[in-house]
Amino acid sequence: MKMWFLGTGAGRPNKHRNVTAIALQLPEPETGWWLFDCGEATQHQLMYVPLKLSKLEKIFITHLHGDHLYGLPGLLSSRSFDGGVTPLAVYGPIGLKAYIDTVFSLTETALDYEIVIHELEEEKQGIIYEDGRLRVEAGPLVHRVPCFGYRVEESDTTGPLLADKARALGVRSGPLFGKLKAGEAVTLEDGTVITPESVTDGVLRGRIVTVLGDTSPCEMAVLLGKNADLIVHEATFAAGLEEKAHEFGHSTTIEAARTAQLAGAKQVALTHFSGRYSNDELSQLVAEATAVFPHAIAATDLSMVKIDRVHERRAGQDEISS
């Protein structure tokens, strides 16, 4: 998995950064990607990263403030021009459908694909998407308007097949190998049952990525980020400005770090920085966060974070990332 930060600013674009948009490039063999928020000029930012609009599968909007939403109509329209014909699922708060329908009606925009809009009930937490490989959970955060955080959880899979061991047990190469790789037990002609665990090298642990919208510190942010490989958390203000941050439903660097710490996350990427901070000042903001949680980084526009999958090997073998 790769997380691309298309915009890391708060409120409005400035010389240092664009407004919020984050792309999650799905793990191979998938070729698609998902988008979290779509601030103004998101489609322009996409020109600088290796993601095609025609491959966009899902959009998750955290809330209906303009800096997270104003780029959506243009991006949806451009997807048709870029050859997008498959259905596109869009998730977000109540009012999202009215916004899209109104803009498209007034501009007489016609698309070459179907948009399926899923509006989320305010204050409700739960699974909003699941396909056997990936699951998405949404939960309400604390902001001035209804706002959601999203937790993307990948399923565990069996480790690499130990082909020589499988052959030694009588498994012939071919379809039976495929079943074992897929985690299915197979039965040989003599009735012997070969389980995947006996001929595979451990487990590939599923990754967990949490993308939080604008929020003041809250329990839901910790729940959605529990044991995450990566939490994307807003850090609109520097430490010491907690009162101002909470007045507008935001967090400081230290509060973002504390959420990651409480959640037991592996890493937190700070984003949604106020325009008062230049990119040269981001190192100081990170220093504030790492004083609480050592594995904090500052996201910058067009930067990418790779989320590796942990290969948990059998007893006596080391864990490695892949």
Side-chain angles (χ1 to χ4, degrees), residues 160-173:
L161 180 69
L162 302 173
D164 290 343
K165 186 174 182 179
R167 292 191 189 97
L169 293 174
V171 183
R172 295 179 181 178
S173 301

Side-chain angles (χ1 to χ4, degrees), residues 151 208 222 225-230 263-266:
R151 174 187 175 92
I208 300 172
V222 175
K226 185 174 178 60
N227 298 326
D229 293 276
L230 176 68
K266 293 180 180 177

Side-chain angles (χ1 to χ4, degrees), residues 211-223:
V211 180
L212 301 174
D214 292 1
T215 187
S216 292
C218 63
E219 183 180 358
M220 181 58 67
V222 175
L223 290 174

Side-chain angles (χ1 to χ4, degrees), residues 147-221:
C147 184
F148 292 89
Y150 298 100
R151 174 187 175 92
V152 180
E153 197 166 342
E154 182 183 30
S155 298
D156 295 341
T157 60
T158 55
L161 180 69
L162 302 173
D164 290 343
K165 186 174 182 179
R167 292 191 189 97
L169 293 174
V171 183
R172 295 179 181 178
S173 301
L176 296 184
F177 271 29
K179 288 185 177 181
L180 289 168
K181 289 179 181 179
E184 299 177 32
V186 301
T187 302
L188 305 183
E189 292 179 359
D190 64 1
T192 301
V193 176
I194 307 297
T195 63
E197 294 77 14
S198 64
V199 292
T200 54
D201 184 9
V203 176
L204 294 175
R205 292 299 178 194
R207 288 157 283 199
I208 300 172
V209 177
T210 298
V211 180
L212 301 174
D214 292 1
T215 187
S216 292
C218 63
E219 183 180 358
M220 181 58 67

Side-chain angles (χ1 to χ4, degrees), residues 115-134:
I115 295 180
V116 182
I117 301 174
H118 303 268
E119 292 191 323
L120 308 178
E121 295 182 32
E122 187 176 351
E123 301 302 321
K124 186 174 182 180
Q125 176 192 5
I127 304 300
I128 60 172
Y129 173 77
E130 191 167 13
D131 64 7
R133 187 181 185 191
L134 295 169

